[in-house]
């Protein structure tokens, strides 16, 4: 029997109706937990709204610094991008919210936690795997898998019948998730993948065609793979991301339209606004081009893909993720330096990079110098490197088989 439940509360459509639904169907006390990951003005009305909806208590945890330093930055260092486009803004936030669901449940003596993720999406997996990893004794309630509400329209009707204010209407049915790293858009007109996203969809970023006609430049300094300064000014993590968001938004940077493969087996379409994150990823990658050796860099590309899948799949607290973190950290020891980027109408391009650990030497790269690299030495290298091909060709000739 469940007497007390801690609900991951965002104030959105789903969690707004879950409070009365839990009270009606489980006859339990509901404690609402909101995690501040940088949603801004969205958080202001949540306390009053949650309590009026029937919550007995409301917690608001300021997790912005922890989110950036312990979740975003490790993913940045890994270079993890899901399916080549998605910078994992929602995926990274879920295990952190789940962590505080567990901590609050333990503090309050609750037997269960609840979330508003649907039975068709990835978030149900991310929340629940994280809870299982942190406190397997807790019961997990997922109303979307239990109730008879089958659409966002029905959820809107449910809220209206109980006089619960909600942030969406049937004319604006998008499901959105916002934090310091990104803003995602799903549902509504986006479900028709043959159509361009509506012109008024973006809420943070200026459309590239409306961005300034002159480029903006930004210089980012990294220490062991972590961004520390913008244009020579040292900044704490949250302020640094906020400033890059401001620059990226003004110049149309970081808008992605993606049809992605969900973990649960279906494809879905999302539009993501990740202005500051896009700038940081490109800058970090550019610095790695300069400071990582070929073998490490190529293997790290494999790790980045696997790391992205683990984060996307909700396996943040898995042993493999922990092991990959150790590898990534070891690769970042020399990823120190400065990267200058040019921001112009949706494009973010490198405009210079330097590092005390640079593996690029002009003396080696130039075609006009022979002191360090003697071109004649390449003959022996090519002979040895190509020996297997030569042996195969000799065997084919002996057997009179054609190579092509």
């Amino acid at each position: 029997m469940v007497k007390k439940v801690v609900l991951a509360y965002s104030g959105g459509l789903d969690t707004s109706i879950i409070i009365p639904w839990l009270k009606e169907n489980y006859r339990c006390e509901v404690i609402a937990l909101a995690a501040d990951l940088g949603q801004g003005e969205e958080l202001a009305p949540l306390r009053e709204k949650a309590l009026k909806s029937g919550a007995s208590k409301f917690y608001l945890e300021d997790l912005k610094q922890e989110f950036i330093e312990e979740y975003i930055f490790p993913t940045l260092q890994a270079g993890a991008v899901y399916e080549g486009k998605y910078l994992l803004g929602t995926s990274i936030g879920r295990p952190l919210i789940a962590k505080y669901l567990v901590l609050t449940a333990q503090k309050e003596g609750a037997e269960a936690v609840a979330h508003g993720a649907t039975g068709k999406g990835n978030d149900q997996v991310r929340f629940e795997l994280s809870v299982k990893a942190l406190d397997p004794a807790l019961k997990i309630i997922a109303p979307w898998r239990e109730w008879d509400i089958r659409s966002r329209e029905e959820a809107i009707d449910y809220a209206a019948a109980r006089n619960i204010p909600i942030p969406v209407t049937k004319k604006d049915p998008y499901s959105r998730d916002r934090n310091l790293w990104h803003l995602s858009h799903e549902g509504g007109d986006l479900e028709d993948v043959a159509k361009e996203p509506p012109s008024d969809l973006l809420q943070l970023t200026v459309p590239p065609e409306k961005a300034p006609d002159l480029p903006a430049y930004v210089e980012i300094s990294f220490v062991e793979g972590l961004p520390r300064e913008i244009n020579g000014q040292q900044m704490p993590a949250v302020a640094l991301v906020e400033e890059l968001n401001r620059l990226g938004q003004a110049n149309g940077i970081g808008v992605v339209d993606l049809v992605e493969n969900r973990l649960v087996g279906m494809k879905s379409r999302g539009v993501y606004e990740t202005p500051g994150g896009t700038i940081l990823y490109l800058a970090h990658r550019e610095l790695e081009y300069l400071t990582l050796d070929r073998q490490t860099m190529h293997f790290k590309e494999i790790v980045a893909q696997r790391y992205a899948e683990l984060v996307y799949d909700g396996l943040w607290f898995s042993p493999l993720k922990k092991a990959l973190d150790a590898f990534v950290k070891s690769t970042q020891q020399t990823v120190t330096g400065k990267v200058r980027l040019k921001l112009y109408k949706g494009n973010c391009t490198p405009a210079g990079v330097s590092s005390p650990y640079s593996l690029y030497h002009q003396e080696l790269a130039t075609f006009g110098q022979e002191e360090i690299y003697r071109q004649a030495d390449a003959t022996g290298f090519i002979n040895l490197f190509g020996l297997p091909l030569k042996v195969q060709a000799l065997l084919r000739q002996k057997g009179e088989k054609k190579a092509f």
Side-chain angles (χ1 to χ4, degrees), residues 150-196:
R150 289 294 174 261
S151 68
R152 292 182 66 77
E153 289 75 18
E154 290 183 14
I156 292 171
D157 291 337
Y158 184 97
R162 290 158 179 77
N163 296 315
I164 300 171
I166 54 175
V168 297
T169 66
K170 292 182 180 179
K171 292 183 179 180
D172 181 26
Y174 299 109
S175 174
R176 293 184 170 98
D177 179 72
R178 180 180 178 181
N179 56 44
L180 265 175
W181 197 238
H182 86 162
L183 172 62
S184 65
H185 311 263
E186 292 182 322
D189 296 339
L190 296 177
E191 292 179 353
D192 186 347
V193 298
K195 293 183 178 179
E196 183 180 14

Side-chain angles (χ1 to χ4, degrees), residues 7 9-24 28-32 45-58 158-159 162-167:
L7 168 67
Y9 184 74
S10 67
L13 172 61
D14 299 330
T15 58
S16 293
I17 65 175
I18 285 175
I19 293 177
W21 185 87
L22 285 171
K23 292 173 68 68
E24 292 170 13
C28 62
E29 178 184 353
V30 181
I31 298 169
L46 294 193
R47 178 180 297 276
E48 180 180 0
K49 182 178 174 182
L51 296 176
K52 282 186 175 181
S53 299
S56 62
K57 289 184 180 180
F58 175 81
Y158 184 97
R162 290 158 179 77
N163 296 315
I164 300 171
I166 54 175

Side-chain angles (χ1 to χ4, degrees), residues 191-382:
E191 292 179 353
D192 186 347
V193 298
K195 293 183 178 179
E196 183 180 14
S199 59
D200 59 350
L201 179 71
L202 301 182
Q203 295 190 345
L204 301 179
T205 311
V206 172
E209 61 269 20
K210 295 182 180 180
D213 292 330
L214 294 176
Y217 288 87
V218 60
E219 184 181 79
I220 305 172
S221 298
F222 290 83
V223 177
E224 295 187 0
L226 296 172
R228 297 301 192 198
E229 297 179 356
I230 295 178
N231 296 329
Q233 181 180 354
Q234 189 168 1
M235 292 185 178
V238 172
L240 185 143
V241 172
E242 289 175 337
E243 175 61 14
L244 290 177
N245 277 338
R246 185 189 67 79
L247 290 169
Q249 290 163 14
N251 290 279
I253 307 298
V255 178
V256 166
D257 184 355
L258 170 64
V259 177
E260 68 196 58
N261 288 294
R262 285 183 176 176
L263 172 62
V264 293
M266 67 182 72
K267 288 184 181 290
S268 66
R269 184 194 194 183
V271 172
Y272 301 100
E273 299 179 61
T274 320
T278 299
I279 295 171
L280 275 177
Y281 260 78
L282 290 171
H284 180 265
R285 182 63 167 165
E286 202 64 28
L287 190 56
E288 285 191 329
Y289 283 135
L290 190 69
T291 59
L292 294 186
D293 66 275
R294 180 173 181 262
Q295 288 187 345
T296 300
M297 187 169 184
H298 288 186
F299 187 75
K300 188 171 180 290
E301 290 175 343
I302 299 171
V303 169
Q305 181 177 342
R306 189 70 183 99
Y307 196 106
E309 290 173 354
L310 290 173
V311 175
Y312 188 87
D313 293 351
L315 292 167
W316 185 271
F317 297 109
S318 67
L320 178 55
K321 157 69 169 48
K322 184 177 181 180
L324 294 184
D325 276 327
F327 166 77
V328 169
K329 185 177 181 180
S330 72
T331 67
Q332 299 300 290
Q333 295 176 15
T334 61
V335 185
T336 294
K338 297 179 180 180
V339 182
R340 190 167 183 254
L341 296 167
K342 177 182 180 180
L343 314 179
Y344 182 65
K345 290 190 177 296
N347 296 300
C348 182
T349 54
V353 58
S354 62
S355 170
Y357 301 103
S358 172
L359 298 180
Y360 173 84
H361 292 283
Q362 189 172 359
E363 293 84 356
L364 289 173
T366 182
F367 287 99
Q369 298 292 332
E370 293 280 340
E371 288 83 358
I372 299 176
Y373 185 98
R374 293 193 309 160
Q375 295 187 42
D377 292 341
T379 302
F381 167 75
I382 294 172

Side-chain angles (χ1 to χ4, degrees), residues 59 61 102-110:
Y59 286 91
E61 299 284 353
V102 170
L103 291 173
T104 305
Q106 293 171 341
K107 175 182 178 180
E108 289 287 343

